Amino acid sequence: MRFLFLCLFVCTLGAHTLKIINVVPFGVSSFRITFNQPINRHVLQETRFAHFKALLRVQAQLQPPPRRYHFANKSAIKIAHHHKTTQIWITWNKNTAYSYKITHNHLYIFIQTHPLVRQKVRILESNPKELKQFKVVIDPGHGGHDCGALGVNHVCEKRIVLAVAKDLQQELAKRGYKVYMTRKKDVYISLKARTEFANNNNADLFISIHANSIPKNAPTNPEGIETYFLSTARSERARKVAEQENQDDVKIMDYFSKLSFLNSLNSQRLIISNKLAIDVQFGMLNKLRKHYKGVVDGGVREGPFWVLAGALMPSILIEIGYNSNPKESKRIQDKRYEQWLAQGIADGVQSFISKNY
């Protein structure tokens, strides 16, 4: 009996041990570290040194082998296990800047060209008045006969996301962006037509706005803001959300030849869409948490959303909250909340543009 209890104790202890399960470099000099469970800043200890060097100590076991990564901009990241922690050494230079973000169970490390250096390059390359005006297409989900998720007070998703989209349009326009809307009123537009609209307008970014829901008889009542970028579904949760948003246009699945189309997608476009999703998710949470308590981070996720599949530019789908959750449904229908939400999305877009263009 003692042996049985000891085994159960060890197994339980192991199940809660924080582990690094994957390490992936992406982009020019960015880095994604995946953990076996959600993390927060308390598991990290950052120490910055002179000569553009920093150390991140993470209270987690490193499962992949230790390795050093060298990037083209003369920066480097080294990850290795040290006693009961994992050490991540980051080295950059005077022309680059280092930062990190935590999103759900991922730690992202960015080493990017310093904003001042980018500004000097742009001034040398062209007259500031001739700098590109970025085009953003905002896509309020559903519309017309397609209600979308019906809220606890019987308000359709299509009405909520259109209100948020209009606020976002105004916010981005104030910041100098050229903004297009796939719909400005309560009309139905097919999934295929939405991305064709973005492509025909040579948009730089495509942002589709939705509200989530679960069936009434579901055992749980989740809440939270989630941002998705296109890929084959990597989790049961992402697959179910995608199925719900895809169901209004079955013919589109034949048009995109289902998974064979997704598997042939341009990997660089998926990577840059992932970056956009990270910045927008962070922007929304950062803005909303200044004004509201208990804003849940649903994370940045991957999913096979057909509305994103035809876009030829970085594209994301935002689930602004659960219309099936009493607390969250009330919030996403509140005008002030919608305005803060739009400002957070715009902050994320601004952050993404400043770091990648």
Side-chain angles (χ1 to χ4, degrees), residues 305-335:
F305 294 91
W306 302 117
V307 72
L308 303 180
L312 300 178
M313 69 292 299
S315 54
I316 58 173
L317 184 146
I318 303 169
E319 297 283 2
I320 61 172
Y322 279 80
N323 205 19
S324 56
N325 181 286
K327 181 184 77 173
E328 212 158 56
S329 180
K330 183 178 179 180
R331 277 186 175 177
I332 63 177
Q333 294 175 45
D334 181 79
K335 188 61 180 176

Side-chain angles (χ1 to χ4, degrees), residues 80-336:
H81 197 71
H82 183 74
H83 298 304
K84 295 182 179 181
T85 65
T86 295
Q87 292 190 345
I88 306 167
W89 287 94
I90 304 104
T91 307
W92 65 102
N93 54 64
K94 65 179 181 179
N95 294 325
T96 54
Y98 144 71
S99 63
Y100 72 87
K101 285 182 184 178
I102 294 172
T103 306
H104 195 57
N105 65 324
H106 298 298
L107 169 63
Y108 291 88
I109 299 175
F110 306 102
I111 305 175
Q112 295 164 317
T113 304
H114 198 281
L116 292 177
V117 175
R118 282 200 300 270
Q119 187 177 22
K120 289 178 182 178
V121 171
R122 287 178 180 174
I123 291 173
L124 289 172
E125 288 181 344
S126 62
N127 187 309
K129 294 181 180 180
E130 298 173 353
L131 291 178
K132 178 180 178 181
Q133 184 183 37
F134 285 90
K135 298 178 183 178
V136 181
V137 167
I138 304 171
D139 173 45
H142 308 282
H145 68 266
D146 181 11
C147 169
L150 188 64
V152 292
N153 60 348
H154 303 289
V155 174
C156 287
E157 173 188 352
K158 65 178 183 178
R159 290 178 52 187
I160 300 169
V161 298
L162 180 59
V164 174
K166 288 179 176 179
D167 288 336
L168 179 58
Q169 179 189 32
Q170 294 178 4
E171 189 63 35
L172 288 174
K174 284 193 299 186
R175 304 188 189 200
Y177 292 89
K178 180 69 174 177
V179 186
Y180 300 91
M181 300 263 289
T182 57
R183 67 179 182 96
K184 297 181 180 180
K185 54 186 180 179
D186 186 16
V187 294
Y188 174 78
I189 303 171
S190 71
L191 300 179
K192 179 173 174 285
R194 294 170 190 263
T195 46
E196 282 183 348
F197 175 81
N199 295 336
N200 291 339
N201 282 286
N202 297 312
D204 297 293
L205 303 176
F206 179 81
I207 300 173
S208 191
I209 302 176
H210 292 256
N212 219 332
S213 72
I214 59 167
K216 291 182 179 180
N217 58 353
T220 59
N221 195 8
E223 57 184 304
I225 300 170
E226 302 166 354
T227 306
Y228 288 85
F229 64 99
L230 181 66
S231 79
T232 53
R234 298 300 178 89
S235 68
E236 184 67 14
R237 178 174 178 176
R239 187 184 62 80
K240 287 182 177 180
V241 174
E243 283 179 354
Q244 178 176 293
E245 302 299 353
N246 292 338
Q247 65 185 356
D248 70 311
D249 199 336
V250 178
K251 291 180 181 178
I252 204 72
M253 300 183 75
D254 293 329
Y255 177 79
F256 288 131
S257 300
K258 298 185 180 180
L259 295 181
S260 62
F261 178 84
L262 289 171
N263 291 334
S264 65
L265 286 170
N266 184 293
S267 60
Q268 285 300 114
R269 180 147 46 89
L270 300 190
I271 289 171
I272 201 72
S273 294
N274 188 4
K275 290 182 179 181
L276 174 61
I278 293 166
D279 283 325
V280 168
Q281 180 76 4
F282 181 83
M284 291 187 293
L285 293 172
N286 187 53
K287 179 63 70 174
L288 290 173
R289 284 173 172 173
K290 291 178 181 178
H291 305 279
Y292 298 89
K293 293 182 179 179
V295 177
V296 176
D297 178 11
V300 173
R301 300 174 180 272
E302 308 167 64
F305 294 91
W306 302 117
V307 72
L308 303 180
L312 300 178
M313 69 292 299
S315 54
I316 58 173
L317 184 146
I318 303 169
E319 297 283 2
I320 61 172
Y322 279 80
N323 205 19
S324 56
N325 181 286
K327 181 184 77 173
E328 212 158 56
S329 180
K330 183 178 179 180
R331 277 186 175 177
I332 63 177
Q333 294 175 45
D334 181 79
K335 188 61 180 176
R336 290 172 299 177

Side-chain angles (χ1 to χ4, degrees), residues 21-41:
I21 58 176
N22 196 18
V23 176
V24 179
F26 67 93
V28 176
S29 54
S30 298
F31 207 67
R32 186 178 78 173
I33 299 171
T34 304
F35 294 79
N36 64 328
Q37 57 187 277
I39 62 168
N40 55 43
R41 293 182 182 273

Side-chain angles (χ1 to χ4, degrees), residues 63-77:
Q63 290 192 329
R67 188 172 173 182
R68 184 180 181 90
Y69 297 84
H70 294 273
F71 301 107
N73 58 8
K74 297 182 179 179
S75 61
I77 295 177

